[in-house]
Amino acid sequence: MNEQSPDGRDEGWMSVALEEARKAFDEDEVPIGAVIVAPSGSEVLARAHNRVRQLGDPTAHAEVLAVRQAVAEVGYLRLEGCQVYSTCEPCFMCAGALVHARVQRVVFGVRDPKFGGAVSLGNVLDHPGANHRIEFTEGVLASESRQLLQRFFRNKR
């Protein structure tokens, strides 16, 4: 993709993930976006947003779609050294995919108290029994991510 971060820091990459979340919102999908950054920290390998309804696929979460794009981009099933930015805490499925892909770090905006697999309902990313552990940071641009999710679900009620 060769897309560069606005500032090369967590907030810059998370702003790109938020752009994806806004696309999901506009497509009537749960507004979650994800970006996978190359080990260099200076370019995007993949970016995606939820497309569950659009594709009729319960696995079409932003993180899973981004992993699929990134492994196609690098030509290998491992994403060692990569960082993933997601506007929401990865669910168990997404967290498991990230562990299998061997990403180095995950940064997310808000916790997901109903499905979160990093801290809310479990600790898939850094479980001591797993064969790979992922460092993670939470709360980056949390307010923006939360507002978008709240607006989406408020419109659904």
Side-chain angles (χ1 to χ4, degrees), residues 43-69:
E43 72 175 295
V44 171
L45 291 177
R47 58 188 290 170
H49 56 276
N50 277 4
R51 296 179 64 205
V52 172
R53 291 183 175 119
Q54 187 178 78
L55 298 176
D57 178 356
T59 70
H61 289 198
E63 299 92 337
V64 169
L65 295 174
V67 165
R68 291 174 185 164
Q69 287 176 28

PDB file of all heavy atoms in Angstrom, residues 43-69:
ATOM      1  N   GLU A  43       4.799   2.383   7.167  1.00  0.00           N
ATOM      2  CA  GLU A  43       3.862   2.186   6.060  1.00  0.00           C
ATOM      3  C   GLU A  43       2.759   1.205   6.411  1.00  0.00           C
ATOM      4  O   GLU A  43       2.930   0.295   7.217  1.00  0.00           O
ATOM      5  CB  GLU A  43       4.586   1.726   4.799  1.00  0.00           C
ATOM      6  CG  GLU A  43       5.086   0.312   4.850  1.00  0.00           C
ATOM      7  CD  GLU A  43       5.702  -0.158   3.541  1.00  0.00           C
ATOM      8  OE1 GLU A  43       4.973  -0.261   2.548  1.00  0.00           O
ATOM      9  OE2 GLU A  43       6.899  -0.433   3.554  1.00  0.00           O
ATOM     10  N   VAL A  44       1.610   1.420   5.780  1.00  0.00           N
ATOM     11  CA  VAL A  44       0.445   0.563   5.965  1.00  0.00           C
ATOM     12  C   VAL A  44       0.556  -0.634   5.032  1.00  0.00           C
ATOM     13  O   VAL A  44       0.767  -0.478   3.832  1.00  0.00           O
ATOM     14  CB  VAL A  44      -0.857   1.351   5.656  1.00  0.00           C
ATOM     15  CG1 VAL A  44      -2.056   0.422   5.621  1.00  0.00           C
ATOM     16  CG2 VAL A  44      -1.065   2.455   6.669  1.00  0.00           C
ATOM     17  N   LEU A  45       0.394  -1.832   5.615  1.00  0.00           N
ATOM     18  CA  LEU A  45       0.304  -3.049   4.798  1.00  0.00           C
ATOM     19  C   LEU A  45      -1.143  -3.325   4.408  1.00  0.00           C
ATOM     20  O   LEU A  45      -1.401  -3.868   3.333  1.00  0.00           O
ATOM     21  CB  LEU A  45       0.847  -4.256   5.565  1.00  0.00           C
ATOM     22  CG  LEU A  45       2.338  -4.294   5.831  1.00  0.00           C
ATOM     23  CD1 LEU A  45       2.683  -5.530   6.657  1.00  0.00           C
ATOM     24  CD2 LEU A  45       3.119  -4.291   4.526  1.00  0.00           C
ATOM     25  N   ALA A  46      -2.066  -2.976   5.311  1.00  0.00           N
ATOM     26  CA  ALA A  46      -3.479  -3.256   5.053  1.00  0.00           C
ATOM     27  C   ALA A  46      -4.339  -2.339   5.900  1.00  0.00           C
ATOM     28  O   ALA A  46      -3.929  -1.901   6.976  1.00  0.00           O
ATOM     29  CB  ALA A  46      -3.796  -4.710   5.389  1.00  0.00           C
ATOM     30  N   ARG A  47      -5.522  -2.075   5.392  1.00  0.00           N
ATOM     31  CA  ARG A  47      -6.528  -1.319   6.138  1.00  0.00           C
ATOM     32  C   ARG A  47      -7.887  -1.876   5.761  1.00  0.00           C
ATOM     33  O   ARG A  47      -8.122  -2.224   4.599  1.00  0.00           O
ATOM     34  CB  ARG A  47      -6.418   0.179   5.895  1.00  0.00           C
ATOM     35  CG  ARG A  47      -6.541   0.599   4.463  1.00  0.00           C
ATOM     36  CD  ARG A  47      -6.239   2.069   4.231  1.00  0.00           C
ATOM     37  NE  ARG A  47      -7.278   2.927   4.782  1.00  0.00           N
ATOM     38  CZ  ARG A  47      -7.181   4.238   4.900  1.00  0.00           C
ATOM     39  NH1 ARG A  47      -6.090   4.856   4.529  1.00  0.00           N
ATOM     40  NH2 ARG A  47      -8.165   4.947   5.391  1.00  0.00           N
ATOM     41  N   ALA A  48      -8.772  -1.977   6.749  1.00  0.00           N
ATOM     42  CA  ALA A  48     -10.084  -2.580   6.499  1.00  0.00           C
ATOM     43  C   ALA A  48     -11.081  -2.088   7.547  1.00  0.00           C
ATOM     44  O   ALA A  48     -10.700  -1.516   8.562  1.00  0.00           O
ATOM     45  CB  ALA A  48      -9.984  -4.100   6.548  1.00  0.00           C
ATOM     46  N   HIS A  49     -12.335  -2.344   7.254  1.00  0.00           N
ATOM     47  CA  HIS A  49     -13.404  -2.049   8.197  1.00  0.00           C
ATOM     48  C   HIS A  49     -14.391  -3.209   8.185  1.00  0.00           C
ATOM     49  O   HIS A  49     -14.360  -4.049   7.280  1.00  0.00           O
ATOM     50  CB  HIS A  49     -14.101  -0.725   7.866  1.00  0.00           C
ATOM     51  CG  HIS A  49     -14.653  -0.662   6.473  1.00  0.00           C
ATOM     52  ND1 HIS A  49     -13.887  -0.306   5.386  1.00  0.00           N
ATOM     53  CD2 HIS A  49     -15.895  -0.912   5.992  1.00  0.00           C
ATOM     54  CE1 HIS A  49     -14.636  -0.335   4.291  1.00  0.00           C
ATOM     55  NE2 HIS A  49     -15.863  -0.703   4.641  1.00  0.00           N
ATOM     56  N   ASN A  50     -15.228  -3.261   9.211  1.00  0.00           N
ATOM     57  CA  ASN A  50     -16.218  -4.335   9.287  1.00  0.00           C
ATOM     58  C   ASN A  50     -17.053  -4.379   8.019  1.00  0.00           C
ATOM     59  O   ASN A  50     -17.494  -3.341   7.520  1.00  0.00           O
ATOM     60  CB  ASN A  50     -17.140  -4.123  10.492  1.00  0.00           C
ATOM     61  CG  ASN A  50     -16.548  -4.639  11.780  1.00  0.00           C
ATOM     62  OD1 ASN A  50     -15.415  -5.090  11.828  1.00  0.00           O
ATOM     63  ND2 ASN A  50     -17.332  -4.570  12.840  1.00  0.00           N
ATOM     64  N   ARG A  51     -17.273  -5.600   7.515  1.00  0.00           N
ATOM     65  CA  ARG A  51     -18.104  -5.790   6.322  1.00  0.00           C
ATOM     66  C   ARG A  51     -18.979  -7.035   6.484  1.00  0.00           C
ATOM     67  O   ARG A  51     -19.305  -7.723   5.527  1.00  0.00           O
ATOM     68  CB  ARG A  51     -17.210  -5.915   5.081  1.00  0.00           C
ATOM     69  CG  ARG A  51     -16.422  -4.618   4.825  1.00  0.00           C
ATOM     70  CD  ARG A  51     -15.529  -4.704   3.631  1.00  0.00           C
ATOM     71  NE  ARG A  51     -16.341  -4.874   2.428  1.00  0.00           N
ATOM     72  CZ  ARG A  51     -15.898  -5.445   1.311  1.00  0.00           C
ATOM     73  NH1 ARG A  51     -14.669  -5.890   1.217  1.00  0.00           N
ATOM     74  NH2 ARG A  51     -16.688  -5.560   0.265  1.00  0.00           N
ATOM     75  N   VAL A  52     -19.351  -7.318   7.723  1.00  0.00           N
ATOM     76  CA  VAL A  52     -20.121  -8.517   8.058  1.00  0.00           C
ATOM     77  C   VAL A  52     -21.430  -8.578   7.282  1.00  0.00           C
ATOM     78  O   VAL A  52     -21.735  -9.587   6.632  1.00  0.00           O
ATOM     79  CB  VAL A  52     -20.382  -8.577   9.579  1.00  0.00           C
ATOM     80  CG1 VAL A  52     -21.348  -9.694   9.931  1.00  0.00           C
ATOM     81  CG2 VAL A  52     -19.071  -8.736  10.334  1.00  0.00           C
ATOM     82  N   ARG A  53     -22.203  -7.516   7.330  1.00  0.00           N
ATOM     83  CA  ARG A  53     -23.504  -7.494   6.644  1.00  0.00           C
ATOM     84  C   ARG A  53     -23.323  -7.483   5.133  1.00  0.00           C
ATOM     85  O   ARG A  53     -24.009  -8.191   4.409  1.00  0.00           O
ATOM     86  CB  ARG A  53     -24.309  -6.281   7.086  1.00  0.00           C
ATOM     87  CG  ARG A  53     -24.766  -6.370   8.523  1.00  0.00           C
ATOM     88  CD  ARG A  53     -25.623  -5.167   8.902  1.00  0.00           C
ATOM     89  NE  ARG A  53     -26.131  -5.328  10.236  1.00  0.00           N
ATOM     90  CZ  ARG A  53     -25.865  -4.509  11.239  1.00  0.00           C
ATOM     91  NH1 ARG A  53     -25.112  -3.444  11.056  1.00  0.00           N
ATOM     92  NH2 ARG A  53     -26.360  -4.727  12.435  1.00  0.00           N
ATOM     93  N   GLN A  54     -22.408  -6.655   4.684  1.00  0.00           N
ATOM     94  CA  GLN A  54     -22.172  -6.509   3.243  1.00  0.00           C
ATOM     95  C   GLN A  54     -21.766  -7.836   2.600  1.00  0.00           C
ATOM     96  O   GLN A  54     -22.223  -8.177   1.518  1.00  0.00           O
ATOM     97  CB  GLN A  54     -21.090  -5.458   3.035  1.00  0.00           C
ATOM     98  CG  GLN A  54     -20.847  -5.085   1.595  1.00  0.00           C
ATOM     99  CD  GLN A  54     -19.786  -4.000   1.518  1.00  0.00           C
ATOM    100  OE1 GLN A  54     -18.611  -4.300   1.652  1.00  0.00           O
ATOM    101  NE2 GLN A  54     -20.211  -2.774   1.323  1.00  0.00           N
ATOM    102  N   LEU A  55     -20.900  -8.587   3.274  1.00  0.00           N
ATOM    103  CA  LEU A  55     -20.413  -9.854   2.716  1.00  0.00           C
ATOM    104  C   LEU A  55     -21.221 -11.059   3.184  1.00  0.00           C
ATOM    105  O   LEU A  55     -21.001 -12.167   2.695  1.00  0.00           O
ATOM    106  CB  LEU A  55     -18.934 -10.047   3.081  1.00  0.00           C
ATOM    107  CG  LEU A  55     -17.974  -8.990   2.524  1.00  0.00           C
ATOM    108  CD1 LEU A  55     -16.557  -9.244   3.029  1.00  0.00           C
ATOM    109  CD2 LEU A  55     -18.023  -8.959   1.010  1.00  0.00           C
ATOM    110  N   GLY A  56     -22.129 -10.851   4.136  1.00  0.00           N
ATOM    111  CA  GLY A  56     -22.887 -11.974   4.676  1.00  0.00           C
ATOM    112  C   GLY A  56     -21.959 -12.991   5.320  1.00  0.00           C
ATOM    113  O   GLY A  56     -22.149 -14.199   5.191  1.00  0.00           O
ATOM    114  N   ASP A  57     -20.948 -12.489   6.029  1.00  0.00           N
ATOM    115  CA  ASP A  57     -19.899 -13.337   6.583  1.00  0.00           C
ATOM    116  C   ASP A  57     -19.612 -12.900   8.018  1.00  0.00           C
ATOM    117  O   ASP A  57     -19.084 -11.808   8.234  1.00  0.00           O
ATOM    118  CB  ASP A  57     -18.638 -13.191   5.719  1.00  0.00           C
ATOM    119  CG  ASP A  57     -17.455 -13.985   6.222  1.00  0.00           C
ATOM    120  OD1 ASP A  57     -17.536 -14.624   7.296  1.00  0.00           O
ATOM    121  OD2 ASP A  57     -16.418 -13.959   5.535  1.00  0.00           O
ATOM    122  N   PRO A  58     -19.937 -13.740   9.002  1.00  0.00           N
ATOM    123  CA  PRO A  58     -19.714 -13.345  10.391  1.00  0.00           C
ATOM    124  C   PRO A  58     -18.240 -13.199  10.753  1.00  0.00           C
ATOM    125  O   PRO A  58     -17.924 -12.651  11.809  1.00  0.00           O
ATOM    126  CB  PRO A  58     -20.373 -14.471  11.197  1.00  0.00           C
ATOM    127  CG  PRO A  58     -20.387 -15.633  10.283  1.00  0.00           C
ATOM    128  CD  PRO A  58     -20.520 -15.071   8.893  1.00  0.00           C
ATOM    129  N   THR A  59     -17.333 -13.638   9.893  1.00  0.00           N
ATOM    130  CA  THR A  59     -15.904 -13.474  10.160  1.00  0.00           C
ATOM    131  C   THR A  59     -15.322 -12.230   9.499  1.00  0.00           C
ATOM    132  O   THR A  59     -14.120 -11.972   9.621  1.00  0.00           O
ATOM    133  CB  THR A  59     -15.084 -14.701   9.708  1.00  0.00           C
ATOM    134  OG1 THR A  59     -15.059 -14.757   8.276  1.00  0.00           O
ATOM    135  CG2 THR A  59     -15.627 -15.987  10.287  1.00  0.00           C
ATOM    136  N   ALA A  60     -16.131 -11.443   8.828  1.00  0.00           N
ATOM    137  CA  ALA A  60     -15.636 -10.278   8.088  1.00  0.00           C
ATOM    138  C   ALA A  60     -15.451  -9.066   9.000  1.00  0.00           C
ATOM    139  O   ALA A  60     -15.908  -7.965   8.709  1.00  0.00           O
ATOM    140  CB  ALA A  60     -16.557  -9.959   6.918  1.00  0.00           C
ATOM    141  N   HIS A  61     -14.750  -9.290  10.104  1.00  0.00           N
ATOM    142  CA  HIS A  61     -14.407  -8.206  11.021  1.00  0.00           C
ATOM    143  C   HIS A  61     -13.207  -7.452  10.458  1.00  0.00           C
ATOM    144  O   HIS A  61     -12.386  -8.012   9.713  1.00  0.00           O
ATOM    145  CB  HIS A  61     -14.050  -8.760  12.395  1.00  0.00           C
ATOM    146  CG  HIS A  61     -15.209  -9.308  13.148  1.00  0.00           C
ATOM    147  ND1 HIS A  61     -15.173  -9.522  14.504  1.00  0.00           N
ATOM    148  CD2 HIS A  61     -16.439  -9.708  12.741  1.00  0.00           C
ATOM    149  CE1 HIS A  61     -16.329 -10.009  14.909  1.00  0.00           C
ATOM    150  NE2 HIS A  61     -17.112 -10.143  13.853  1.00  0.00           N
ATOM    151  N   ALA A  62     -13.077  -6.208  10.851  1.00  0.00           N
ATOM    152  CA  ALA A  62     -12.003  -5.349  10.341  1.00  0.00           C
ATOM    153  C   ALA A  62     -10.627  -5.987  10.503  1.00  0.00           C
ATOM    154  O   ALA A  62      -9.823  -6.002   9.560  1.00  0.00           O
ATOM    155  CB  ALA A  62     -12.043  -3.997  11.053  1.00  0.00           C
ATOM    156  N   GLU A  63     -10.349  -6.529  11.684  1.00  0.00           N
ATOM    157  CA  GLU A  63      -9.024  -7.098  11.940  1.00  0.00           C
ATOM    158  C   GLU A  63      -8.751  -8.318  11.070  1.00  0.00           C
ATOM    159  O   GLU A  63      -7.648  -8.469  10.529  1.00  0.00           O
ATOM    160  CB  GLU A  63      -8.872  -7.486  13.424  1.00  0.00           C
ATOM    161  CG  GLU A  63      -9.014  -6.332  14.386  1.00  0.00           C
ATOM    162  CD  GLU A  63     -10.434  -6.121  14.907  1.00  0.00           C
ATOM    163  OE1 GLU A  63     -11.401  -6.551  14.231  1.00  0.00           O
ATOM    164  OE2 GLU A  63     -10.581  -5.519  15.977  1.00  0.00           O
ATOM    165  N   VAL A  64      -9.732  -9.185  10.912  1.00  0.00           N
ATOM    166  CA  VAL A  64      -9.548 -10.395  10.089  1.00  0.00           C
ATOM    167  C   VAL A  64      -9.349 -10.010   8.627  1.00  0.00           C
ATOM    168  O   VAL A  64      -8.460 -10.542   7.951  1.00  0.00           O
ATOM    169  CB  VAL A  64     -10.739 -11.363  10.259  1.00  0.00           C
ATOM    170  CG1 VAL A  64     -10.689 -12.486   9.228  1.00  0.00           C
ATOM    171  CG2 VAL A  64     -10.753 -11.947  11.669  1.00  0.00           C
ATOM    172  N   LEU A  65     -10.153  -9.081   8.137  1.00  0.00           N
ATOM    173  CA  LEU A  65      -9.995  -8.636   6.751  1.00  0.00           C
ATOM    174  C   LEU A  65      -8.630  -7.996   6.533  1.00  0.00           C
ATOM    175  O   LEU A  65      -7.980  -8.210   5.505  1.00  0.00           O
ATOM    176  CB  LEU A  65     -11.116  -7.670   6.370  1.00  0.00           C
ATOM    177  CG  LEU A  65     -12.524  -8.276   6.341  1.00  0.00           C
ATOM    178  CD1 LEU A  65     -13.563  -7.189   6.107  1.00  0.00           C
ATOM    179  CD2 LEU A  65     -12.639  -9.376   5.308  1.00  0.00           C
ATOM    180  N   ALA A  66      -8.174  -7.223   7.514  1.00  0.00           N
ATOM    181  CA  ALA A  66      -6.854  -6.596   7.408  1.00  0.00           C
ATOM    182  C   ALA A  66      -5.746  -7.642   7.432  1.00  0.00           C
ATOM    183  O   ALA A  66      -4.775  -7.540   6.673  1.00  0.00           O
ATOM    184  CB  ALA A  66      -6.667  -5.568   8.520  1.00  0.00           C
ATOM    185  N   VAL A  67      -5.876  -8.652   8.273  1.00  0.00           N
ATOM    186  CA  VAL A  67      -4.875  -9.734   8.300  1.00  0.00           C
ATOM    187  C   VAL A  67      -4.817 -10.421   6.936  1.00  0.00           C
ATOM    188  O   VAL A  67      -3.725 -10.667   6.405  1.00  0.00           O
ATOM    189  CB  VAL A  67      -5.171 -10.760   9.420  1.00  0.00           C
ATOM    190  CG1 VAL A  67      -4.374 -12.045   9.225  1.00  0.00           C
ATOM    191  CG2 VAL A  67      -4.864 -10.162  10.790  1.00  0.00           C
ATOM    192  N   ARG A  68      -5.959 -10.700   6.368  1.00  0.00           N
ATOM    193  CA  ARG A  68      -5.978 -11.350   5.043  1.00  0.00           C
ATOM    194  C   ARG A  68      -5.259 -10.503   3.997  1.00  0.00           C
ATOM    195  O   ARG A  68      -4.492 -11.018   3.183  1.00  0.00           O
ATOM    196  CB  ARG A  68      -7.421 -11.610   4.606  1.00  0.00           C
ATOM    197  CG  ARG A  68      -8.114 -12.681   5.424  1.00  0.00           C
ATOM    198  CD  ARG A  68      -9.585 -12.794   5.055  1.00  0.00           C
ATOM    199  NE  ARG A  68     -10.264 -13.747   5.931  1.00  0.00           N
ATOM    200  CZ  ARG A  68     -11.573 -13.832   6.062  1.00  0.00           C
ATOM    201  NH1 ARG A  68     -12.373 -13.029   5.360  1.00  0.00           N
ATOM    202  NH2 ARG A  68     -12.112 -14.708   6.877  1.00  0.00           N
ATOM    203  N   GLN A  69      -5.509  -9.196   4.008  1.00  0.00           N
ATOM    204  CA  GLN A  69      -4.836  -8.291   3.061  1.00  0.00           C
ATOM    205  C   GLN A  69      -3.335  -8.246   3.312  1.00  0.00           C
ATOM    206  O   GLN A  69      -2.538  -8.286   2.377  1.00  0.00           O
ATOM    207  CB  GLN A  69      -5.374  -6.869   3.202  1.00  0.00           C
ATOM    208  CG  GLN A  69      -6.746  -6.628   2.661  1.00  0.00           C
ATOM    209  CD  GLN A  69      -7.172  -5.187   2.961  1.00  0.00           C
ATOM    210  OE1 GLN A  69      -6.360  -4.294   3.085  1.00  0.00           O
ATOM    211  NE2 GLN A  69      -8.479  -4.991   3.088  1.00  0.00           N
TER     212      GLN A  69
END
